[in-house]
């Protein structure tokens, strides 16, 4: 079984479900995050025998971690559990559930795109400055950035005007340009893949500015991009990544 | 130059400050409450970080700050902004300065105790426990559930069971008593974390770079930190010598979590088994130092001035 976890309104998740099923990821269950607060049964165990998780969704479907072969995680904020509890307990319950989902989305022994992080349930969400720092370490060229404490973000980007935009997806060691966008030179692709590893985020969308002289400047990274921009090649890469290990061949 | 950031009167920060002063080390003490008279600019060029930090009217180059000890409180709780509207200029200024300084701490070269990203792991106990397990420690048998029947079966299997929060919200660990079972049905609206009680004694290990300070806590309470709140509850703290193999595992755990300074909570059973409960990325070590005389603040100060390997 493969699962896609997302809010109901996430059209990219719906699109990915259809595309991944068409590529043989079957059964694939779409776990709609909005319904998770109504989950009738959570059983999450950690101990000598490892970590296991079982949940029974409100419609009766069950998801057991040991049967899941891959997860596309599109959860960015914890679902709202506040309505089920007394007003005085709401903040506490939301914090508890945020912590719960962070653990849960790291409890699967299979590929997860992206694993939850304390910096974001859908993968580490970082300030642009931190992404740029990591990008430079990965070997990408970045325009200088200047920030101060009295002006709102985004900070001033020196010399970034007048360049074409390009969007590149990184999926677990593969690169896929957005539909209609150019494929960058090989050294940029390799550096982009390194950035994915450095960031602990196997799925990333990287925004570049491309100068007239052909130089690619990294601008920012997204951990929860609109996947539809990647078209069929991105679905192929997602299917490949989600079936890569633990005997997860489609069919 | 060494940056200390937080509330200067708070004991862990005050004790490191005092130790640094005794060593004659150059310190910038940034009182978090004085944000209105402070300023920060940050420049990132070719992966190199530079900029200025203005504290108490004095400007410091960020490139000159070689290490930092960060103990900021949640800025929304500062007396200067508490009660102000979310979009009040003072509150926004406090938030932006905090955010920018935390970004600097993430990417600055040198010794940063601790980097914000590494400090995130204890916001979720099950998340951190999974990391602890991967880094070579046994963790207590744990069940997180909203199903009372599962709790009853877990209790039957393990006997004595404790419960505590899932998140980093500080909670008092309590034992699941017979009298609690009548209200177990309440967990249906929010899963609760239960753990098999591990008998033995508690050990808090403070890791500072590659140095360790282990403290044994003998208590008659389920949570030694709160023993005095219970009737006839008491805790005694004494210095403890860790076996060499356990020292290495503690170092590997702290470093594996990306922490240069941490507080590791262990339980050692009568059979010598070692369980790790959690790792605190911003430990309030002063309680242990006061009770045992272990020179933890001095070790932090020495680490900040570069007197031991990173």
């Amino acid at each position: 079984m493969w699962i896609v976890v997302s809010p109901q309104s996430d059209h990219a998740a719906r699109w990915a479900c259809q595309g991944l099923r068409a590529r043989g990821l079957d059964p694939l269950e779409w776990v709609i995050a909005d319904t998770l607060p109504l989950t009738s049964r959570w059983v999450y165990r950690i101990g000598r025998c490892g970590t296991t998780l079982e949940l029974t969704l409100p419609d009766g479907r069950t998801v057991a971690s040991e049967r899941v072969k891959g997860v596309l995680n599109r959860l960015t904020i914890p679902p709202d559990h506040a309505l089920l509890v007394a007003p005085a307990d709401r903040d506490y319950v939301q914090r508890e559930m945020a912590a719960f989902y962070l653990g849960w989305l790291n409890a699967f022994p299979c590929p997860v795109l992206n694993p939850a992080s304390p910096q974001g349930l859908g993968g580490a969400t970082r300030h642009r400055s931190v992404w740029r720092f990591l990008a430079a370490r990965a070997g990408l060229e970045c325009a200088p950035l200047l920030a101060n404490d009295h002006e709102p973000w985004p900070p001033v980007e020196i010399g970034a005007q007048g360049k074409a935009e390009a969007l590149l997806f990184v999926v677990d060691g593969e690169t896929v340009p957005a539909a209609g966008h150019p494929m960058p030179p090989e050294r940029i692709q390799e550096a982009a893949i390194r950035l994915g590893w450095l960031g602990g985020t196997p799925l990333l969308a990287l925004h570049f500015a491309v100068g007239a002289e052909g130089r690619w400047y990294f601008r920012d990274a997204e951990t929860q991009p609109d996947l539809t921009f990647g078209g069929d090649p991105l679905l192929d890469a997602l299917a490949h990544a989600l079936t890569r290990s633990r005997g997860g061949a489609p069919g | 130059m060494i940056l200390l950031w937080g509330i200067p009167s708070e004991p862990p920060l005050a004790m490191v400050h005092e130790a640094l002063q005794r060593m004659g080390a150059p310190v910038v003490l940034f009182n978090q409450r004085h944000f209105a008279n402070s300023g920060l600019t940050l420049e990132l060029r070719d992966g190199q970080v530079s900029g200025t930090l203005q504290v108490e009217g004095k400007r410091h180059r960020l490139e000159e700050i070689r290490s930092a000890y960060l103990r900021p409180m949640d800025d929304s709780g500062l007396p200067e902004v508490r009660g102000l509207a979310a979009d009040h200029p003072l509150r926004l200024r406090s938030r932006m300065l905090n955010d920018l300084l935390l970004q600097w701490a993430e990417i600055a070269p040198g010794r940063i105790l601790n980097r914000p990203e590494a400090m995130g792991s204890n916001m979720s106990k099950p998340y951190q426990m999974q990391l602890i397990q991967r880094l070579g420690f046994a963790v207590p048998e744990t069940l997180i559930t909203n199903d009372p029947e599962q709790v009853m079966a877990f209790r039957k299997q393990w006997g004595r069971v404790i419960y505590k929060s899932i998140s980093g919200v500080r909670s008092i660990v309590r034992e699941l008593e017979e009298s609690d079972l009548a209200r177990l049905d309440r967990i249906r609206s929010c899963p609760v974390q239960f753990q098999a009680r591990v008998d033995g004694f508690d050990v808090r290990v403070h890791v500072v770079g590659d140095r360790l300070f282990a403290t044994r806590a003998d208590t008659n309470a389920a949570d030694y930190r709160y023993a005095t709140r219970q009737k006839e509850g008491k805790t005694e703290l004494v210095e403890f010598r860790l076996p060499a193999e356990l020292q290495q595992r503690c170092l590997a755990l702290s470093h594996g979590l990306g922490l240069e300074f941490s507080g590791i909570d262990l339980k050692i059973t009568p059979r010598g088994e070692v369980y790790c409960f959690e790792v605190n990325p911003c430990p309030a070590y002063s309680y242990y130092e006061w009770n045992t005389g272990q020179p933890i603040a001095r070790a932090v100060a020495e680490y900040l001035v570069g007197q031991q390997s990173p």
Side-chain angles (χ1 to χ4, degrees):
Chain A
M1 175 198 287
W2 285 265
I3 62 170
V4 174
V5 187
S6 81
Q8 186 153 29
S9 58
D10 185 348
H11 74 283
R14 184 189 298 268
W15 171 84
C17 283
Q18 288 167 355
L20 292 171
R21 282 191 189 115
R23 281 159 179 77
L25 274 67
D26 183 44
L28 184 144
E29 300 289 348
W30 185 15
V31 176
I32 296 173
D34 317 53
T35 67
L36 286 172
L38 303 171
T39 294
S40 55
R41 188 165 167 269
W42 292 99
V43 183
Y44 180 6
R45 294 176 192 277
I46 305 169
R48 235 173 249 282
C49 299
T51 299
T52 59
L53 188 120
E54 244 184 84
L55 71 147
T56 307
L57 295 166
D59 59 10
R61 288 179 296 160
T62 60
V63 176
S65 56
E66 67 270 18
R67 289 195 294 122
V68 176
K69 295 175 178 173
V71 180
L72 179 61
N73 166 27
R74 302 275 303 171
L75 208 56
T76 51
I77 53 169
D80 189 357
H81 286 251
L83 294 175
L84 302 176
V85 294
D89 293 332
R90 282 179 185 164
D91 283 350
Y92 175 77
V93 166
Q94 276 304 105
R95 289 179 73 166
E96 287 289 282
M97 291 312 298
F100 178 84
Y101 288 116
L102 172 56
W104 176 55
L105 288 164
N106 277 279
F108 292 95
C110 58
V112 181
L113 305 174
N114 280 314
S117 148
Q119 286 70 45
L121 281 181
T125 305
R126 299 180 169 100
H127 275 282
R128 186 183 294 197
S129 60
V130 180
W131 276 120
R132 292 233 178 153
F133 177 77
L134 292 175
R137 277 181 58 196
L140 292 169
E141 197 171 346
C142 308
L145 206 59
L146 188 62
N148 63 52
D149 64 281
H150 52 270
E151 283 172 343
W153 286 87
V156 178
E157 194 171 311
I158 302 162
Q161 293 75 27
K163 296 189 173 76
E165 295 283 326
L167 179 62
L168 179 72
F169 291 93
V170 175
V171 186
D172 198 23
E174 288 185 54
T175 51
V176 179
H181 288 234
M183 177 63 101
E186 201 166 317
R187 64 180 177 79
I188 301 291
Q189 292 180 55
E190 287 167 0
I193 290 167
R194 276 196 295 276
L195 179 57
W197 301 140
L198 275 176
T201 41
L203 172 60
L204 271 182
L206 308 185
H207 294 267
F208 289 92
V210 185
E213 74 288 6
R215 285 167 75 173
W216 286 60
Y217 296 89
F218 171 82
R219 299 187 76 167
D220 207 355
E222 281 181 89
T223 54
Q224 290 292 324
D226 186 338
L227 302 171
T228 62
F229 290 149
D232 283 342
L234 182 62
L235 286 170
D236 291 341
L238 290 172
H240 187 211
L242 292 171
T243 55
R244 189 159 282 170
S245 57
R246 294 184 57 84
Chain B
M1 188 72 77
I2 298 160
L3 172 65
L4 303 180
W5 180 38
I7 306 299
S9 58
E10 198 230 359
L13 194 68
M15 288 162 71
V16 168
H17 187 207
E18 199 182 313
L20 287 167
Q21 282 182 317
R22 276 200 300 268
M23 295 162 71
V27 172
V28 180
L29 179 61
F30 184 6
N31 185 337
Q32 195 186 3
R33 294 180 61 182
H34 295 177
F35 63 88
N37 303 319
S38 307
L40 180 63
T41 64
L42 186 63
E43 189 172 342
L44 186 61
R45 192 181 287 269
D46 300 328
Q48 301 297 312
V49 186
S50 59
T52 58
L53 173 65
Q54 188 182 323
V55 176
E56 314 288 354
K58 196 169 173 197
R59 218 174 266 272
H60 306 274
R61 298 289 311 165
L62 291 178
E63 304 90 292
E64 290 167 7
I65 298 176
R66 304 301 166 106
S67 58
Y69 178 41
L70 314 174
R71 280 192 65 86
M73 62 178 285
D74 175 358
D75 66 303
S76 63
L78 292 173
E80 288 72 16
V81 301
R82 202 185 303 144
L84 297 180
D87 59 352
H88 190 283
L90 209 54
R91 199 158 176 172
L92 291 175
R93 177 157 173 72
S94 164
R95 172 45 50 98
M96 285 201 289
L97 183 60
N98 259 42
D99 282 356
L100 198 58
L101 196 51
L102 289 171
Q103 285 176 59
W104 170 81
E106 203 70 79
I107 63 181
R111 297 178 173 192
I112 308 293
L113 306 181
N114 280 307
R115 301 208 186 257
E117 205 163 304
M119 295 221 272
S121 76
N122 85 329
M123 69 170 278
S124 164
K125 292 189 177 86
Y127 170 72
Q128 197 191 54
M129 263 197 294
Q130 288 160 204
L131 296 177
I132 289 170
Q133 224 179 9
R134 284 176 213 156
L135 288 163
F137 274 91
V139 297
E141 293 297 328
T142 300
L143 169 70
I144 304 171
T145 189
N146 62 348
D147 182 347
E149 283 178 21
Q150 290 289 327
V151 181
M152 296 299 281
F154 187 74
R155 188 168 182 252
K156 194 173 174 189
Q157 182 180 3
W158 296 105
R160 296 174 74 183
V161 167
I162 58 98
Y163 60 97
K164 58 184 181 182
S165 65
I166 303 171
S167 68
V169 173
R170 191 168 250 224
S171 66
I172 300 175
V173 179
R174 292 190 193 283
E175 189 155 338
L176 184 66
E177 307 282 1
E178 203 65 32
S179 56
D180 295 319
L181 302 182
R183 58 192 182 100
L184 207 49
D185 210 44
R186 293 191 196 171
I187 70 171
R188 288 190 193 280
S189 55
C190 179
V192 171
Q193 176 170 231
F194 299 89
Q195 283 182 338
R197 184 184 164 113
V198 179
D199 286 325
F201 58 89
D202 292 286
V203 176
R204 161 58 74 95
V205 182
H206 288 102
V207 177
V208 186
D210 55 8
R211 290 172 70 181
L212 294 100
F213 299 89
T215 311
R216 174 175 170 154
D218 286 306
T219 185
N220 59 355
D223 188 333
Y224 71 86
R225 299 166 303 172
Y226 301 99
T228 54
R229 292 191 192 177
Q230 295 178 15
K231 196 178 174 189
E232 295 178 2
K234 60 178 182 185
T235 294
E236 191 185 353
L237 300 178
V238 290
E239 191 172 346
F240 182 71
R241 183 161 181 78
L242 287 179
E245 175 271 339
L246 190 50
Q247 289 184 26
Q248 290 308 313
R249 279 204 287 153
C250 287
L251 288 174
L253 174 60
S254 188
H255 298 164
L257 293 173
L259 299 169
E260 295 173 75
F261 181 29
S262 66
I264 300 174
D265 288 327
L266 303 177
K267 180 87 101 176
I268 302 181
T269 71
R271 294 169 57 186
E273 297 162 313
V274 179
Y275 288 85
C276 180
F277 284 81
E278 62 180 289
V279 182
N280 189 325
C282 198
Y285 66 87
S286 42
Y287 167 64
Y288 302 87
E289 181 159 332
W290 286 331
N291 280 280
T292 63
Q294 290 167 300
I296 304 169
R298 182 166 179 87
V300 173
E302 287 173 354
Y303 187 78
L304 291 169
V305 299
Q307 285 186 6
Q308 56 159 308
S309 55

